Amino acid sequence: RFARTGLAGEAVVVNDLGLVAYRGRVRPVDAVGLGTIEIARMRKARQLTPEALDAIARDKGAVAAMVNDAYIIHVAGAVPRSWIPIAQLGIPSDYVIADRAVTIYAVDAGWTERLRADLLAFAPTLPARTTIVYLPSAS
């Protein structure tokens, strides 16, 4: 729901196409590679690095990432250092997802304050038992 309201029309890095691609009204950049051929090719060649993931995301015009950090570390070795952490959502354990936490990053530094403000406004509508922790920007 946040993607649909706060990021509609924008390119967003995700690692689970699911509802974000189906109903999010965003242009997904798929870190798995199913929806982004450049990433699929790099993964197949075992050449996907944080820098390569960041370069592809920026080439696709991504302004934000909504990802499971553990999964990004698994496929690329680390989360790109240039991505600015905004918040982490804690998902209740009865949902079926790759990990119980989704981190939202600004890929484009110009989106940092907007993402924080949009998340603050969106937070009261989160489902029961979902938590949100606002993260300090990495230096």
Side-chain angles (χ1 to χ4, degrees):
R1 289 183 303 117
F2 176 71
R4 187 172 60 235
T5 60
L7 294 164
E10 302 296 338
V12 178
V13 179
V14 297
N15 63 267
D16 187 347
L17 286 173
L19 278 177
V20 170
Y22 182 64
R23 295 181 65 189
R25 297 186 187 141
V26 299
R27 296 177 291 120
V29 177
D30 180 19
V32 174
L34 296 173
T36 305
I37 192 67
E38 299 89 339
I39 291 175
R41 288 181 179 137
M42 293 201 84
R43 285 196 65 203
K44 182 177 181 183
R46 295 193 170 140
Q47 296 177 337
L48 187 62
T49 63
E51 297 79 16
L53 176 59
D54 182 57
I56 293 167
R58 290 174 189 280
D59 185 56
K60 298 284 185 184
V63 299
M66 297 174 60
V67 297
N68 301 113
D69 289 348
Y71 189 81
I72 297 301
I73 292 165
H74 173 74
V75 299
V79 173
R81 293 182 66 155
S82 61
W83 292 5
I84 302 162
I86 304 298
Q88 191 168 69
L89 299 175
I91 312 297
S93 63
D94 56 350
Y95 288 90
V96 180
I97 58 172
D99 191 5
R100 291 188 185 145
V102 173
T103 306
I104 299 172
Y105 293 92
V107 173
D108 179 330
W111 276 70
T112 303
E113 293 310 314
R114 177 176 169 180
L115 284 170
R116 282 189 200 284
D118 287 353
L119 277 167
L120 282 166
F122 182 78
T125 72
L126 286 169
R129 300 184 300 127
T130 301
T131 60
I132 187 166
V133 175
Y134 296 93
L135 304 169
S137 297
S139 53

